[in-house]
Amino acid sequence: MSHTKCHGCSLCLLSCPMWRQERDVQYSPQGIFKALQHNAALSEITPALFSCLLCGACDLLCPEQIDITGTIKTLRRAAFSSGEHRALKKEIESQLKRPTTEAKAEANTIIIPGGALRSMPATLTKVQALLSREARAVLAKDDGDDIALALEAGVEISEHRRHSFLEPLQGAKRLYVSNGLLLQALRKWLPATALCALGYSLSQLSELTTKLTSDDLYLIEARAFHLDHQQTITHYDQLRHQQGCRTNLDLQRNAIPTAAGGLNTLHPTIDSHAQGRWILNGHRVARIIVECAEDGQAMAQLNEQPVLHIADLMEHANDV
Ligand code: SF4
Ligand code: SF4
């Protein structure tokens, strides 16, 4: 594994939510890799391994270009194999749906919104209308939330389950995907399909972004942002300059995640409230606009400013 290349420069620490929370180098890629280089047992690094949000910020910062998130996922799998966190593994396996045989969807464009956005039907209707400009976009029947969770945890996904998720998507030319980890996996599984981050795609629509003001804090979905960083950083810089809105980018130009959703919900290690306060730190804003429904739920719990999904900048789906 590439952790042997870590020379301990600490660059990965400053954007790392788990290091920021713990203020202990053990809770950082540097801490994990240095421990392994000095023959630590897997059980000694397990707390840090399962605190990582897989936000992807560290992957961009490491001068040795270590695949940090890939290594952490591999180490999580090894921890499960050695019996660590057996109950957590069983819980995730129980969430993996029984495979069902689905017909291919008769649509060129499919949206995979994820469970959180699906629980906001009025917002989801606007998302669908906004993404149906060039071709009618249909909603996937299967959100693959269980698959995203298994990917994050490092739990094996059966071939049957993977097939049942992918089969209905096979005919599509374009997929809009809310979950950044699912997006990353789908790019490997469906290489011929155009795969777009849902939040990023909405952030490119001028009828939405022109409604952003300098009183808004705009929350970029962290995983998708880090996945396509070279392309997305220019886009969000332009958005910030044009509209004057603030964003959740830190001083190293990485997106601070809220820690909402996924593994951190099932196995809480990172405090979403503290993450929200970190994001708000130094900003006085009237509204918070989010790309990701889970981020919206986390920020709403702070009870400070109104929180809107970016699609809700459109008052009615008919306005689209
Ligand atoms: S992926 Fe995010 S939480 Fe995990 S080690 Fe990297 S910066 Fe820290
Ligand atoms: S940035 Fe890379 S080389 Fe530097 S301490 Fe972190 S993991 Fe090690």
Side-chain angles (χ1 to χ4, degrees):
M1 266 187 295
S2 53
H3 67 265
T4 52
K5 290 196 287 178
C6 173
H7 58 249
C9 67
S10 303
L11 284 174
C12 53
L13 264 60
L14 291 179
S15 287
C16 177
M18 65 172 168
W19 181 79
R20 195 170 197 281
Q21 175 172 284
E22 303 293 336
R23 300 287 166 158
D24 178 343
V25 77
Q26 289 184 61
Y27 287 84
S28 71
Q30 179 184 351
I32 293 169
F33 296 161
K34 283 290 159 196
L36 288 174
Q37 286 174 12
H38 292 88
N39 298 322
L42 198 53
S43 58
E44 293 176 89
I45 57 167
T46 301
L49 288 180
F50 284 90
S51 295
C52 167
L53 294 174
L54 288 191
C55 68
C58 52
D59 283 335
L60 299 170
L61 296 169
C62 179
E64 296 290 351
Q65 300 184 323
I66 299 171
D67 174 10
I68 297 175
T69 49
T71 307
I72 286 175
K73 280 190 272 185
T74 304
L75 290 167
R76 283 178 176 175
R77 269 195 293 281
F80 281 139
S81 317
S82 71
E84 296 271 342
H85 284 313
R86 190 173 288 127
L88 177 63
K89 185 178 180 218
K90 276 196 160 178
E91 173 62 34
I92 295 167
E93 284 172 342
S94 76
Q95 291 196 22
L96 278 166
K97 288 182 193 161
R98 287 183 175 280
T100 49
T101 312
E102 292 268 7
K104 281 185 191 168
E106 295 291 322
N108 281 334
T109 307
I110 299 178
I111 302 170
I112 306 178
L117 181 54
R118 211 176 273 271
S119 71
M120 300 162 60
T123 305
L124 186 54
T125 301
K126 291 177 202 169
V127 169
Q128 192 174 6
L130 286 158
L131 297 178
S132 290
R133 295 288 175 64
E134 289 170 23
R136 186 172 160 269
V138 303
L139 299 176
K141 291 202 177 111
D142 183 349
D143 281 308
D145 286 340
D146 56 333
I147 290 185
L149 180 63
L151 287 167
E152 184 177 355
V155 169
E156 194 181 338
I157 301 159
S158 74
E159 196 47 46
H160 276 82
R161 173 63 188 120
R162 199 167 72 106
H163 180 78
S164 74
F165 175 58
L166 294 179
E167 185 60 16
L169 309 175
Q170 295 285 358
K173 293 200 167 57
R174 180 178 298 272
L175 298 181
Y176 292 103
V177 186
S178 179
N179 185 298
L181 292 179
L182 207 51
L183 176 68
Q184 187 178 24
L186 282 165
R187 285 192 179 152
K188 283 192 200 133
W189 294 337
L190 300 174
T193 308
L195 283 146
C196 316
L198 191 147
Y200 174 69
S201 301
L202 293 174
S203 79
Q204 290 181 304
L205 302 178
S206 60
E207 62 267 56
L208 299 178
T209 55
T210 49
K211 295 183 178 175
L212 291 170
T213 75
S214 57
D215 289 330
D216 290 330
L217 173 69
Y218 185 86
L219 245 67
I220 301 163
E221 201 285 303
R223 287 172 177 158
F225 171 77
H226 296 135
L227 184 62
D228 293 325
H229 187 257
Q230 279 194 329
Q231 172 192 352
T232 53
I233 187 70
T234 309
H235 164 69
Y236 287 111
D237 270 349
Q238 281 170 354
L239 184 63
R240 197 157 53 101
H241 288 132
Q242 280 164 6
Q243 300 307 126
C245 56
R246 335 287 170 84
T247 66
N248 56 328
L249 297 182
D250 68 7
L251 289 177
Q252 299 196 97
R253 319 295 307 289
N254 285 317
I256 305 170
T258 63
L263 191 61
N264 197 47
T265 308
L266 203 58
H267 178 70
T269 52
I270 304 290
D271 179 357
S272 266
H273 273 72
Q275 287 294 112
R277 303 234 167 272
W278 181 15
I279 291 168
L280 283 168
N281 191 20
H283 299 304
R284 292 183 63 185
V285 293
R287 299 187 302 181
I288 299 172
I289 314 296
V290 300
E291 292 182 345
C292 163
E294 282 101 335
D295 288 345
Q297 290 165 356
M299 295 307 281
Q301 284 178 9
L302 295 176
N303 256 341
E304 289 182 7
Q305 297 86 359
V307 180
L308 289 179
H309 190 274
I310 178 172
D312 287 324
L313 292 175
M314 221 75 214
E315 275 190 42
H316 306 288
N318 292 343
D319 297 342
V320 175

